[in-house]
Amino acid sequence: MTAQHLDTHPVVACVDALESALDGVSTEAWSGLEPGAVRSLVGRLARVEARLVAQKMAAARVLDETGAARAAGATSTGALLAKDFGGDRHSADRLVRRAERISKTSHTQEALSKGRVTPEQADVIATGLAKLPSKATPAQRDLAERTLLKDADRLRLPDLRRRTDRLMDVYADKKQTDRFENEILVERERKARARSRFRMWDNHDGTWSGDFTLPTLEAASAKAWCDAVTAPAKTPKAPVPGEPTFEDPYEARAYRAGLAFADLWTHLPVDRLPNDGGVSAVVTVTMELESLKDGIEAATLSDGTRLSASQARKVACGAGIIPTVLDGRSNVLDHGLKKRLFTPAQRRALATTQGGCTFPGCDRPPAWCEAHHLKPYDDDGPTDLANGALLCCRHHHHVHDDEWEHQKRPDGTVAWRPPGSSTWQTNHRYRP
């Protein structure tokens, strides 16, 4: 490329314009804006950032295809990019791999370049499309990709990732989709078990450290137990003389979690594990009755994680794991009693149908939630499933203080709206 051509190339002109524009704005200028304007501009900047990543991916593909790394003496394109700026080989390698995956899509690549999806969403979509059976037609793949792009507008990233396991449902019947998802989960669980690790070492100061890698089911059990004893909604105990204090709440929680983990081993066997509110230390595995017969339909943990049918059938009423079998209409029996507090069984049922905090946009899992009476108990509101909703501590106070209105849906989900609004909002969690 000649120097004259380089001066007029649109990519060069674009980068020059970006640098010039940023040179003209100080980071201190943000302090003069209203919070609403700041939030709007941050959203716009996030979309601009996504578009820039799309351009970086395009550049990485060009370098990879032309063998620029080898010519420059670098071991890989990622190493070459890391050398040019930042020195982070891991991030540069990840950019190159993402660029390769996303280049195999059509609509997703365009959506990223226009800032309609984030790089992470685009990567999840590309990875999900790659999991489709090889016999899927171009038309079916196109429909699947368009569906995921629509889902990306409303689903959190973990839910979008789970959605890809059942992507075949856009063109196949339920039984085919169940079989497809189960095959994915069986292979994933096999690989996860092969990657399981646990290491401990003596720090020679009275403590030990370690790290571990666990399969999903066992990790979900451990996390549920840890959340039970460190949940934010729990009333803090009075300070104990000699114990450290923390200004950072995350450090304080990490400290409590460390003590909880140490205390776990003194609570074995499993029937002595702590139980906060009847559901926090329990992982519920939900499966259809038919799955117990034909063994092809996946099961769902209380946090939305999916398990293969064979793994679900191994679950027994122990180790803090409770199987919940639904009928064909996904009905859960109501064991409610006329009492103020929801029973452990009722909380587990709410966790199964609602998946966590029902407030729009909240991602708190069931273990961090409280059971809320939609019709107040003091106003003769019954303590049953029809009148129950899970809310995290913060949003529980919020709906009470600001008097949000509610609407219970037939499927157990709850819609909310603030006073004076005509728009109902729901928490979109992907539930197959």
Side-chain angles (χ1 to χ4, degrees):
M1 181 179 291
T2 65
Q4 184 178 6
H5 189 191
L6 187 63
D7 289 340
T8 59
H9 195 281
V11 173
V12 178
C14 176
V15 175
D16 286 343
L18 285 170
E19 289 180 335
S20 177
L22 290 172
D23 287 341
V25 180
S26 168
T27 54
E28 296 176 355
W30 287 89
S31 60
L33 294 171
E34 293 293 330
V38 171
R39 180 182 176 186
S40 175
L41 288 170
V42 168
R44 290 175 60 187
L45 280 177
R47 295 181 184 278
V48 170
E49 183 179 20
R51 300 178 72 175
L52 287 175
V53 171
Q55 295 294 333
K56 286 176 62 178
M57 287 183 179
R61 286 196 295 270
V62 170
L63 292 174
D64 214 36
E65 292 166 359
T66 58
R70 182 184 297 273
T75 56
S76 68
T77 301
L80 181 65
L81 293 173
K83 182 180 179 181
D84 290 339
F85 182 73
D88 188 349
R89 169 74 179 273
H90 176 74
S91 295
D93 284 339
R94 184 172 57 192
L95 175 74
V96 175
R97 290 193 299 268
R98 276 187 173 179
E100 181 181 359
R101 286 192 293 269
I102 295 173
S103 69
K104 298 175 183 178
T105 68
S106 52
H107 309 300
T108 304
Q109 191 170 196
E110 180 184 5
L112 178 62
S113 69
K114 293 184 177 180
R116 294 202 296 262
V117 294
T118 67
E120 290 75 19
Q121 289 174 318
D123 193 35
V124 168
I125 293 172
T127 303
L129 293 172
K131 290 188 292 189
L132 285 176
S134 58
K135 62 182 180 181
T137 67
Q140 290 170 336
R141 290 181 178 276
D142 184 81
L143 176 60
E145 184 176 3
R146 290 179 182 275
T147 299
L148 286 180
L149 284 169
K150 289 181 180 178
D151 289 337
D153 287 336
R154 64 186 184 88
L155 296 179
R156 297 182 305 118
L157 202 61
D159 287 324
L160 184 65
R161 190 174 289 113
R162 293 184 188 116
R163 174 70 181 93
T164 64
D165 288 347
R166 293 188 64 83
L167 189 52
M168 225 175 89
D169 65 1
V170 301
Y171 63 82
D173 61 32
K174 184 177 183 299
K175 204 171 190 68
Q176 288 177 299
T177 302
D178 290 340
R179 191 181 302 277
F180 168 68
E181 181 193 20
N182 195 61
E183 290 172 356
I184 291 175
L185 293 170
V186 167
E187 179 62 14
R188 184 181 299 158
E189 290 163 0
R190 183 191 67 78
K191 291 180 178 178
R193 194 159 189 83
R195 291 196 298 267
S196 297
R197 298 289 188 274
F198 183 82
R199 300 184 300 169
M200 292 180 64
W201 53 87
D202 192 346
N203 295 322
H204 303 292
D205 62 357
T207 66
W208 284 65
S209 295
D211 59 34
F212 61 85
T213 302
L214 294 176
T216 294
L217 177 60
E218 289 77 6
S221 299
K223 185 177 183 301
W225 181 86
C226 191
D227 283 344
V229 293
T230 62
K234 294 191 70 173
T235 302
K237 297 179 180 179
V240 177
E243 285 198 352
T245 57
F246 302 90
E247 293 184 3
D248 186 344
Y250 294 102
E251 282 295 316
R253 189 163 187 267
Y255 166 71
R256 293 198 305 271
L259 293 183
F261 183 73
D263 194 43
L264 168 63
W265 309 107
T266 66
H267 283 78
L268 298 176
V270 295
D271 59 359
R272 293 174 58 198
L273 290 178
N275 191 334
D276 180 36
V279 72
S280 299
V282 175
V283 174
T284 302
V285 179
T286 304
M287 67 196 84
E288 296 286 344
L289 179 60
E290 186 178 353
S291 180
L292 296 178
K293 302 175 183 177
D294 58 27
I296 65 168
E297 185 175 358
T300 306
L301 295 183
S302 51
D303 68 348
T305 301
R306 299 282 279 173
L307 296 177
S308 67
S310 59
Q311 179 86 323
R313 289 198 304 274
K314 293 177 184 176
V315 172
C317 295
I321 302 170
I322 295 180
T324 301
V325 180
L326 309 180
D327 64 16
R329 294 172 296 177
S330 298
N331 289 328
V332 178
L333 291 179
D334 185 347
H335 297 292
L337 300 174
K338 183 61 179 177
K339 54 189 292 187
R340 185 177 67 84
L341 298 177
F342 285 85
T343 67
Q346 288 173 313
R347 286 179 52 88
R348 287 194 292 271
L350 291 174
T352 298
T353 56
Q354 297 174 1
C357 179
T358 58
F359 195 84
C362 184
D363 62 356
R364 295 305 192 207
W368 290 27
C369 294
E370 302 164 353
H372 165 71
H373 287 78
L374 292 171
K375 181 180 180 182
Y377 177 79
D378 295 338
D379 192 25
D380 292 329
T383 304
D384 58 22
L385 296 185
N387 194 44
L390 292 182
L391 289 168
C392 68
C393 184
R394 177 181 181 183
H395 289 128
H396 200 173
H397 285 289
H398 189 61
V399 299
H400 276 291
D401 295 344
D402 293 353
E403 298 181 347
W404 279 57
E405 299 176 73
H406 67 268
Q407 187 180 81
K408 192 72 175 279
R409 302 282 173 78
D411 61 358
T413 59
V414 183
W416 299 92
R417 70 179 181 187
S421 173
S422 60
T423 303
W424 291 101
Q425 305 173 44
T426 57
N427 193 323
H428 292 289
R429 283 186 172 85
Y430 174 64
R431 310 294 287 185

